[in-house]
Amino acid sequence: MEQAAELRELVSSRDVPADIATRGRIVLWLGEGRRRKDIAELLGVSLPTVDR
């Protein structure tokens, strides 16, 4: 749980590059049980990007 809190803080930081924030959101949302397809649509990325 501590790692998830750290990751949430990271993705909301303005100092983090957008690609890193996107990766962080993917990890968090997968951990929450969101569907890969939904994550891809929300972030405007492809399914292979979510899978990576």
Side-chain angles (χ1 to χ4, degrees):
M1 291 304 235
E2 185 178 324
Q3 290 176 337
E6 289 177 19
L7 192 51
R8 275 189 217 91
E9 187 176 324
L10 180 95
V11 300
S12 64
S13 172
R14 292 183 178 178
D15 297 329
V16 174
D19 61 328
I20 301 299
T22 297
R23 286 182 184 201
R25 285 185 184 90
I26 290 169
V27 170
L28 284 171
W29 291 346
L30 285 171
E32 292 173 1
R34 292 189 189 210
R35 295 182 330 171
R36 293 169 31 253
K37 179 182 175 187
D38 295 338
I39 293 170
E41 288 178 11
L42 284 168
L43 293 174
V45 299
S46 66
L47 276 175
T49 298
V50 174
D51 291 341
R52 268 188 248 137

